[in-house]
Amino acid sequence: MMFQFSSIYFRDVTFIGLPNDFLFEDRYEVVFERVKIRPDIPYATKIEVINSNSSIDPVFRMTESEFPGVEDVTSPDINENKFILEITNEQPEFKGDDEQCNYDYKGQILISRNNFGHLRQANFKIVGAAAFKFENNAIDTINGQAFDLENVENIHMIGNQFGFILKSPVVFVYYKIRHGNCEDQELDLPEDRIGKTIIKHNKFSKLIQDFFIIDEDPSYSNKFVDDMFEVSGNEVSKRCNCTQVTLADDEETNTKKNAKKILRMLQNSSKCLSDQTPPLIGSTSF
């Protein structure tokens, strides 16, 4: 289904049946606000956005909407997607009137105050964006790599409730400095264009190994994760684990080392439950 309006708004809508996907191309704004998807729809709700017009700085916003979950985590439904959002921003960069080979990633993706019953695989697949902000959402169950983010300049995951996590990784972030056969000076995403990845004020049912995986371009500095990540004020609804993550293993890949660094940041910044009865919430001292 193709829509031909500059801005698209869905407000206060309950879908009882819908096409397999919504496709929007080069729209200034696409908004889903207070939208509900009936749980008896027998396939995943898919929303696809493709932006390549360099004159548009697009916005996708989803807020206060509800997507179905699974009633039984032992049922086959746990391996099915209920919701998929795919957004591609590949706007060529211009110098004057000259189109360059590299991309000038634009676009704001704002996901806030929604209830996602179940996430499975690539539910949020984002290729290129100025910002992906996932804030104050609730997720009941997660069974895989739900977030697949490529070349996103700023990533904010703030104030979310991450429910029962069955499988990791949950978040995979990939950065590539150049695509195709562009010249050396025609860079998509050099390190100095990347802003902060902020992970704060989230609530986790537990901290798991490889929750957040990052695979950065080999040309980025060894301090990329240390410099670009801001992790603070999170909370874990489990007894405190006083065994700190060990980082010193020269044989591990950079991806594995980065995952451990981020897990350690989460561990050091998160409040958890004490051994008292009843338990109290507090910070762990290492």
Side-chain angles (χ1 to χ4, degrees):
M1 179 179 291
M2 178 77 70
F3 295 95
Q4 299 293 332
F5 302 95
S6 60
S7 297
I8 307 290
Y9 293 81
F10 293 92
R11 285 197 174 108
D12 299 303
V13 177
T14 298
F15 288 103
I16 60 174
L18 68 169
N20 285 343
D21 62 351
F22 292 107
L23 174 60
F24 307 94
E25 293 190 61
D26 289 323
R27 302 296 156 226
Y28 285 96
E29 189 175 25
V30 178
V31 176
F32 286 77
E33 185 173 343
R34 296 186 297 276
V35 168
K36 293 184 179 182
I37 304 297
R38 283 272 298 269
D40 53 351
I41 295 177
Y43 47 81
T45 300
K46 183 177 179 182
I47 302 168
E48 186 175 6
V49 180
I50 301 173
N51 297 309
S52 58
N53 187 337
S54 298
S55 67
I56 295 175
D57 191 3
V59 174
F60 179 91
R61 182 159 53 90
M62 177 178 288
T63 185
E64 298 180 22
S65 296
E66 296 182 21
F67 297 87
V70 295
E71 294 184 1
D72 182 357
V73 295
T74 65
S75 73
D77 289 346
I78 204 72
N79 295 314
E80 301 295 330
N81 273 328
K82 302 294 183 180
F83 160 81
I84 298 170
L85 172 64
E86 293 185 0
I87 298 181
T88 301
N89 287 298
E90 292 184 339
Q91 298 92 344
E93 185 173 11
F94 276 80
K95 290 184 178 179
D97 294 329
D98 296 329
E99 180 177 323
Q100 306 299 300
C101 173
N102 60 297
Y103 294 135
D104 181 19
Y105 296 121
K106 297 181 178 182
Q108 301 282 328
I109 302 164
L110 313 174
I111 313 294
S112 64
R113 302 191 301 278
N114 303 286
N115 191 314
F116 299 101
H118 180 64
L119 299 182
R120 172 65 181 97
Q121 187 72 27
N123 302 98
F124 297 92
K125 184 173 178 60
I126 313 300
V127 178
F132 175 77
K133 298 181 179 181
F134 191 81
E135 301 179 351
N136 301 307
N137 300 285
I139 308 170
D140 296 340
T141 55
I142 305 173
N143 189 32
Q145 188 175 298
F147 298 84
D148 193 335
L149 313 178
E150 177 181 337
N151 278 14
V152 177
E153 293 181 10
N154 298 275
I155 300 171
H156 295 179
M157 305 189 84
I158 301 173
N160 302 292
Q161 174 73 53
F162 292 94
F164 190 37
I165 300 174
L166 298 164
K167 187 186 297 184
S168 64
V170 173
V171 183
F172 179 79
V173 178
Y174 176 73
Y175 289 109
K176 187 176 182 180
I177 198 169
R178 182 187 292 107
H179 79 275
N181 296 315
C182 295
E183 300 293 332
D184 288 346
Q185 70 273 17
E186 294 179 317
L187 302 179
D188 288 343
L189 204 58
E191 185 174 347
D192 59 8
R193 266 190 63 181
I194 300 173
K196 287 285 187 182
T197 292
I198 300 174
I199 307 173
K200 68 179 182 180
H201 304 320
N202 300 290
K203 292 185 178 181
F204 299 92
S205 60
K206 62 179 179 178
L207 287 183
I208 60 172
Q209 189 82 14
D210 297 339
F211 173 82
F212 197 114
I213 295 287
I214 182 167
D215 184 7
E216 80 273 27
D217 193 276
S219 67
Y220 291 177
S221 70
N222 292 332
K223 301 288 288 182
F224 176 74
V225 169
D226 305 82
D227 294 339
M228 297 300 180
F229 274 70
E230 179 183 327
V231 183
S232 64
N234 298 291
E235 185 176 310
V236 183
S237 301
K238 295 280 286 185
R239 300 273 184 180
C240 297
N241 181 357
C242 296
T243 303
Q244 195 170 37
V245 177
T246 303
L247 301 180
D249 188 346
D250 294 336
E251 295 183 1
E252 290 183 336
T253 64
N254 279 338
T255 300
K256 191 69 173 178
K257 289 178 181 178
N258 287 338
K260 283 189 172 183
K261 283 183 180 180
I262 297 166
L263 180 59
R264 187 169 182 173
M265 291 177 185
L266 285 167
Q267 190 179 49
N268 291 344
S269 72
S270 297
K271 293 182 178 181
C272 49
L273 298 178
S274 71
D275 288 331
Q276 296 169 259
T277 304
L280 300 175
I281 191 78
S283 299
T284 301
S285 297
F286 293 101

